[in-house]
Amino acid sequence: MGRILAIDYGKKRTGLAVTDPLQIIATGLTTVPSQTLIPYLKKYFETEQVELILIGEPRNLDGSNTDATALAAECVRILKKHFPNIPLKQVDERFTSKMAFQTMIDSGLKKKDRQNKALVDEISATIILQEYLRTKF
């Protein structure tokens, strides 16, 4: 069984999260500059078996596209081009940034640490992955 990788794609930074090989636990992996995402994933896939990529699909509350929807769609196109043998699913990412910020507050992080946008992106990817795992079964 391979891992599931979740991506919270952004213009500047991309948060990544991954499951364990049994697909039970979602864990934040890292945040990378968006322009280095493909080289990072190529290296990661050399050492880890990934059977599914999830990418957050930005939507407004009413389900309409956001400014970031086109960015995510372009990322999907690039991922399919570079990794055609790995299935890819887009998942609704509404509220993940707010949930990530609330998670940081709930875990007791100081205000200075909560301003770390890279950490917010990584936590958002983890939430995307946790929600997928929760609804998968």
Side-chain angles (χ1 to χ4, degrees):
M1 203 173 214
R3 298 175 187 270
I4 300 172
L5 176 83
I7 298 174
D8 181 36
Y9 187 79
K11 189 174 186 176
K12 295 180 182 180
R13 290 172 312 280
T14 298
L16 301 171
V18 68
T19 64
D20 61 295
L22 296 176
Q23 300 179 3
I24 297 170
I25 300 170
T27 306
L29 182 60
T30 191
T31 302
V32 298
S34 293
Q35 69 268 20
T36 67
L37 176 63
I38 297 302
Y40 178 88
L41 291 178
K42 284 182 178 180
K43 189 172 183 177
Y44 184 79
F45 294 159
E46 287 175 5
T47 60
E48 297 294 339
Q49 180 185 355
V50 174
E51 73 176 43
L52 176 64
I53 298 172
L54 302 175
I55 183 163
E57 184 176 34
R59 294 281 176 200
N60 287 313
L61 289 178
D62 65 1
S64 63
N65 291 346
T66 71
D67 295 338
T69 305
L71 282 173
E74 178 63 12
C75 182
V76 166
R77 187 190 68 73
I78 292 168
L79 287 167
K80 286 181 177 180
K81 176 184 170 191
H82 286 277
F83 311 109
N85 296 327
I86 302 175
L88 189 141
K89 285 187 182 181
Q90 290 183 269
V91 294
D92 189 337
E93 69 167 34
R94 279 180 273 195
F95 306 114
T96 56
S97 293
K98 289 180 183 177
M99 291 170 66
F101 190 73
Q102 187 61 49
T103 298
M104 294 168 78
I105 291 171
D106 293 347
S107 66
L109 284 179
K110 295 178 183 173
K111 185 175 181 178
K112 182 179 177 186
D113 296 329
R114 294 193 308 259
Q115 293 170 343
N116 179 350
K117 292 181 181 180
L119 183 57
V120 173
D121 294 335
E122 184 178 327
I123 293 171
S124 293
T126 306
I127 291 169
I128 290 168
L129 188 50
Q130 286 173 331
E131 285 300 305
Y132 176 80
L133 291 174
R134 186 181 64 77
T135 60
K136 181 180 160 187
F137 298 107

